[in-house]
Amino acid sequence: MPRLTQAKLAEINKTFDDRSPDELLRWAVDIFGERIAAISAMQKAGSIICHMISRLKLDIPVLFVDTGVMFQETLETRDRIASEYGLTVHTLTPELTMAEQTEKHGVLYLTVEGQKECCHKRKVEPLLATRGQRDALISSLRRAEGGARGECPIVSVDIEMNVLRVNPLANMTDEQVDAYIAEHDVVVNPLHDQGFTTVGCNRCTTPVLPNEPPRAGRWRHLGPWSIYCGINPTDMLDDEHAPAVDFPQDLIDRILGQKTDFMI
């Protein structure tokens, strides 16, 4: 099976830096057809992606990972988005309930290593269970988030899922996020108005003070060593160890525009 590496996406990423989110979403649908889905944790940027899919009348289902310990406000946001935007939202769940996991493994999220294991079991593994069903996932990462996402590419390879990740909002600033939400009256998780700059599981997410970093409320009890859950493979590796996915050659050609005249 031919391989598509991150290095081969360098040129298309440069081109896409000048494209709007709408254009990028339409490109993704044109290239991947029914083999595409969006993934949303029902936070601000994810809500914007859902609104854009609905506004553009794109046939893209949405994947939502319910860890079993989500805030009720997050679940209600999911339901409102599905209903008001007319979207198909597939809820993915872990193999074990939190009670079953705790009985079997203890309270994992109280240590740094345990947090990684807990997040993998409750967030990553449910998504991995869908491996093979899609060739691309629409994500909502933004460079304005900083940290490991400060240079996230618009298009990247996801080795574990063997898909391309597409981030149409990569260049959207915080101000543009707020402006889009206000202009279109986007359904937003109400926790954002209660001091939560990011929203995850109810065990490991707290409000954030005005002078704190945006992700200070995630795994606060573990200090600065735990920042991400691992569901978004955002780190860029060097060319020598460049990640790659296995795709049919005709799909690689369509993505890179090697045998078609299609441009967005």
Side-chain angles (χ1 to χ4, degrees):
M1 177 74 74
R3 310 204 78 200
L4 177 62
T5 66
Q6 186 65 44
K8 290 181 180 178
L9 294 172
E11 191 61 35
I12 196 172
N13 270 309
K14 290 179 182 177
T15 301
F16 282 180
D17 258 340
D18 296 326
R19 306 306 184 190
S20 70
D22 286 8
E23 290 175 312
L24 293 168
L25 284 169
R26 290 193 179 103
W27 171 84
V29 171
D30 286 340
I31 294 298
F32 298 102
E34 297 179 353
R35 300 274 299 174
I36 190 172
I39 181 168
S40 174
M42 303 303 157
Q43 301 184 67
K44 280 185 180 181
S47 291
I48 290 176
I49 286 290
C50 291
H51 180 272
M52 288 178 170
I53 291 171
S54 176
R55 176 173 55 79
L56 296 173
K57 295 179 172 55
L58 301 176
D59 187 15
I60 302 178
V62 177
L63 306 181
F64 169 75
V65 179
D66 180 0
T67 63
V69 285
M70 306 299 284
F71 289 98
Q72 184 61 33
E73 290 89 341
T74 300
L75 300 178
E76 291 171 357
T77 301
R78 172 201 60 187
D79 295 342
R80 281 191 62 196
I81 281 179
S83 174
E84 296 182 25
Y85 294 164
L87 301 179
T88 299
V89 179
H90 299 292
T91 297
L92 313 177
T93 57
E95 180 180 353
L96 301 178
T97 66
M98 180 57 86
E100 291 169 339
Q101 176 180 297
T102 301
E103 181 178 358
K104 185 175 182 180
H105 301 287
V107 185
L108 293 175
Y109 50 81
L110 295 181
T111 67
V112 173
E113 290 305 314
Q115 173 260 317
K116 294 177 182 177
E117 183 180 357
C118 186
C119 287
H120 197 272
K121 289 180 180 298
R122 309 207 69 76
K123 298 187 77 172
V124 179
E125 289 180 7
L127 182 60
L128 287 175
T130 70
R131 191 181 194 274
Q133 298 177 16
R134 306 283 191 271
D135 291 325
L137 288 177
I138 302 293
S139 300
S140 53
L141 303 186
R142 297 182 305 112
R143 293 166 184 164
E145 296 179 67
R149 299 175 182 177
E151 297 183 4
C152 72
I154 292 174
V155 183
S156 63
V157 299
D158 180 338
I159 301 173
E160 283 196 292
M161 285 293 291
N162 198 55
V163 300
L164 280 197
R165 294 283 190 124
V166 183
N167 292 300
L169 307 184
N171 287 318
M172 185 174 275
T173 66
D174 293 341
E175 293 75 18
Q176 289 172 327
V177 165
D178 291 339
Y180 187 97
I181 289 172
E183 179 182 354
H184 298 282
D185 194 23
V186 175
V187 174
V188 173
N189 193 324
L191 290 174
H192 287 305
D193 291 328
Q194 299 173 32
F196 290 81
T197 49
T198 68
V199 183
C201 298
N202 58 32
R203 302 297 197 271
C204 299
T205 312
T206 67
V208 173
L209 295 173
N211 62 338
E212 289 185 304
R215 296 190 66 84
R218 301 298 286 272
W219 308 285
R220 183 185 293 277
H221 57 292
L222 297 177
W225 296 277
S226 294
I227 303 177
Y228 301 106
C229 67
I231 200 170
N232 295 300
T234 59
D235 291 337
M236 292 284 289
L237 301 178
D238 57 46
D239 289 344
E240 182 180 355
H241 302 94
V245 290
D246 298 319
F247 277 170
Q249 187 62 53
D250 64 326
L251 179 55
I252 294 176
D253 290 340
R254 293 204 307 277
I255 293 168
L256 300 179
Q258 295 177 156
K259 294 186 178 181
T260 69
D261 294 326
F262 179 78
M263 293 291 291
I264 68 169

